Structure formats: C-alpha cells, structure tokens
Amino acid sequence: MRRIIQRLIAAIVLSIGIVAAAVGTSYGQDKVVRIGYQKYGKLVLLKSKGTLEPKLAADGYKVVWTEFQSGPPLLEALNVGAIDFGNTGEAPPIFAQAAGAPIRYVAYEPPAPKGEAILVPKESPLKSVVELKGKRVALNKGSNVHYLLVKALAKAGVKYSEVEPVFLAPADARAAFERGAVDAWVIWDPFQAAAEAATGARTLADGTDIVANYQFYFSSKKFLEANPKIVDAVLAELSSVDDWAKGDIHAVAEQLAPAIGLSVAVVEVALKRQAYGIKPITDRVIADQQQVADAFFALNLIPKSIKISDVARRPGS
C-alpha cells in the first residue's frame, strides 16, 4: 500500500517544485512565516484584509503567502519545509501523517456538512447513492470529499470497491462531469455551488448525517516548537477575520468573488454553508478525526494505522 502514498506524492511533485522555488528566497531567514492557502476560505480573507502583516511585523516577522489548488499539495509543501502554516479539510492530514509528515493540528472550524456533496448531472437517471454501484465517480484524491464518498457508500450499503473512482483536480473533474465522462462528482464549495448554478447539478447526498466536514489549521512541528506565540498570533487574526465574515456574508462574497472568478451570488451560497469559529483542538475533534484515519486504514488507502492524538496541539501548549 506504500505505492498508493507514493503515487499521491508523485502526483504533486511538480507543484511542490514550483512552491519551493517561489519561497526559496525566504527559506532560511530567521523571521519569516510562510503560509499556504487555498483560493477559498478564511486564510485568503486574512491575506486580503492585510491585518496579519503589521501584527507580526511588531515581532520582527514577515509573511510570505503561497496559493495551492487543494489540501494534499499544501500539506506536502509543509512536509518538505516549503511552508510553516496552512489549512485543509479532514482527509489530507490523514494521508500526510501516514506518510510521515511532521504536521501539527493547531485549530479547527466547526462542522460544515453541507459544504461538500456528491453531485450528478441535472438529467442523470441516478436518484440515490446506492445507484453509484458500478459507476465512475470523480473526486480529488486525498481531499475531504474522499472521506465523504467512503462514508456515503458505506451508509448506502455499497462497497468502496464497487465504484470506479476517477481521481481529478476540481477543474478537470468539472470538465469531465459536464461532458458526461463520469457519472458523479464529489466536490466541495465553492466549486459545488458553482456547478449547481451553472449546470443545474443535483445533489445525491451532502455531508449531513454522514460526515462532519471539519476544516483544520496546521503548523509544521519545527515551526510550532520554535514559534508558538507566532502561531497563536496567526490564529488570533484568523479569529478576527472569522468574526467579521460571519457578520457580513455579503461583504465577504463581494471581496472573494473577483479572486475566485465566481459571481457574488454563487459565493454567498457557499459562504452560507460554511462554518464559523476558529477553535482549539478538543478530544471530541481528535476522536472524530481518528474515525477518518481508521476508515482509510481499513480500506488500505493509507499504509499504516495512525494516532491523531500524536500530532494534535492541546490548548495551552
């Protein structure tokens, strides 16, 4: 099963090379925080607000931002030392920890089960998850929706081995979905909201009563041990942005829409399905995340059993 992880890592080697080159000038400097972010979420809001830089400048730190298309390459960048901090959904850290990445969970956002879904085309004859048996299902390998597919199939009494996963990044999956090359697409917001608006895609199932769909924030072990106060400062600024975001979703949509390339209305739909609150890791969250890890190990998707508690930062530490 090590070959599965190796293929996952190999698929993102090119991305990591680009990242390493992009941050190479900052690597090795004493006072730099390198943050990996995705095009959608609280970190991109923090970047656009510009409030973190002056706060960290007071402690002599600069901030370097690097964008990623999804969680798996972001965590691989953290693994190889190209970034110090970032966030992803539930599944990427499972693969990363199993591959030996020195990650540390430092915070989470509450569940947002409606923020990911199994979609089918508007005119698809498929009406339920059980009908996915024998079908081609597109998803981003190692992402949060990987776990949604695993659990939704189990709930419907369908074995994971009875569907044909087609591992594609969101843009490629959208193209395959629209031309009918796959029967279903498991995807997260805002791609989910965009597909619904543009194509009339129907939801077979979202995460409701199936998965939590947490968002997690991570630091590298090395950076956290050397700079715990800086990690806390980043989380504090994230909390401020989060407070602003949940209080004025329309304003957030207007700010995010141009960068994402989606309409304000579509982004608003996605934001309303998002969770709010940046919280320290708890025993309950660790237990929930352990279930994800155990499910992936049982399916031989990761090469060994792992303990989430080994890489979770406890409050006050």
Side-chain angles (χ1 to χ4, degrees):
M1 288 302 105
R2 291 185 181 277
R3 291 196 298 271
I4 294 174
I5 299 300
Q6 289 169 350
R7 286 198 297 269
L8 177 63
I9 293 174
I12 57 181
V13 163
L14 179 60
S15 174
I16 297 308
I18 294 170
V19 171
V23 301
T25 56
S26 67
Y27 191 81
Q29 293 182 8
D30 291 335
K31 296 290 188 177
V32 176
V33 182
R34 298 162 302 162
I35 299 177
Y37 69 99
Q38 298 178 56
K39 188 168 281 189
Y40 177 76
K42 307 294 170 54
L43 279 174
V44 73
L45 284 177
L46 180 59
K47 178 180 183 291
S48 64
K49 292 286 278 187
T51 57
L52 181 63
E53 285 79 357
K55 290 290 179 68
L56 295 190
D59 291 311
Y61 283 78
K62 295 180 181 179
V63 181
V64 174
W65 299 88
T66 303
E67 183 178 324
F68 295 83
Q69 290 190 350
S70 63
L74 186 153
L75 284 182
E76 182 58 20
L78 191 147
N79 179 31
V80 301
I83 62 172
D84 307 303
F85 186 94
N87 85 297
T88 76
E90 297 158 323
I94 303 299
F95 286 89
Q97 186 181 351
I103 62 172
R104 291 294 181 268
Y105 292 77
V106 296
Y108 79 99
E109 294 178 17
K114 292 185 179 297
E116 58 180 358
I118 302 172
L119 302 180
V120 294
K122 182 179 180 180
E123 304 302 328
S124 171
L126 302 181
K127 303 297 183 184
S128 65
V129 173
V130 71
E131 294 176 86
L132 291 176
K133 186 174 181 179
K135 304 300 184 182
R136 290 168 56 84
V137 182
L139 69 149
N140 195 100
K141 186 175 184 179
S143 66
N144 58 333
V145 294
H146 205 151
Y147 185 56
L148 171 60
L149 179 61
V150 166
K151 296 300 288 184
L153 291 173
K155 184 176 181 179
V158 180
K159 295 178 181 179
Y160 181 76
S161 60
E162 291 179 317
V163 303
E164 183 182 347
V166 180
F167 297 124
L168 296 170
D172 294 331
R174 167 81 178 258
F177 183 76
E178 291 190 5
R179 69 173 182 267
V182 296
D183 300 291
W185 180 23
V186 198
I187 189 59
W188 62 89
D189 274 327
F191 305 107
Q192 173 187 344
E196 291 167 342
T199 73
R202 293 187 292 105
T203 296
L204 282 189
D206 60 27
T208 303
D209 297 326
I210 302 175
V211 298
N213 190 28
Y214 290 111
Q215 286 290 310
F216 290 103
Y217 293 90
F218 303 92
S219 174
S220 69
K221 178 177 182 291
K222 180 179 179 181
F223 189 83
L224 179 60
E225 290 178 348
N227 305 278
K229 292 183 179 179
I230 298 303
V231 171
D232 289 339
V234 174
L235 292 173
E237 283 305 303
L238 274 167
S239 291
S240 295
V241 167
D242 182 271
D243 287 341
W244 166 69
K246 68 184 178 184
D248 196 345
I249 285 177
H250 183 72
V252 175
E254 289 185 322
Q255 183 165 327
L256 280 178
I260 299 174
L262 298 174
S263 71
V264 172
V266 166
V267 177
E268 274 198 79
V269 169
L271 288 170
K272 288 176 181 178
R273 294 193 288 222
Q274 190 171 325
Y276 295 88
I278 310 296
K279 301 179 180 296
I281 301 298
T282 65
D283 289 340
R284 170 62 185 274
V285 171
I286 290 172
D288 287 347
Q289 189 69 347
Q290 188 64 52
Q291 291 183 10
V292 183
D294 293 344
F296 282 175
F297 179 61
L299 290 169
N300 294 321
L301 292 173
I302 58 174
K304 63 181 181 181
S305 178
I306 60 174
K307 289 182 63 178
I308 303 302
S309 58
D310 289 345
V311 295
R313 183 196 195 194
R314 304 290 183 160
S317 63

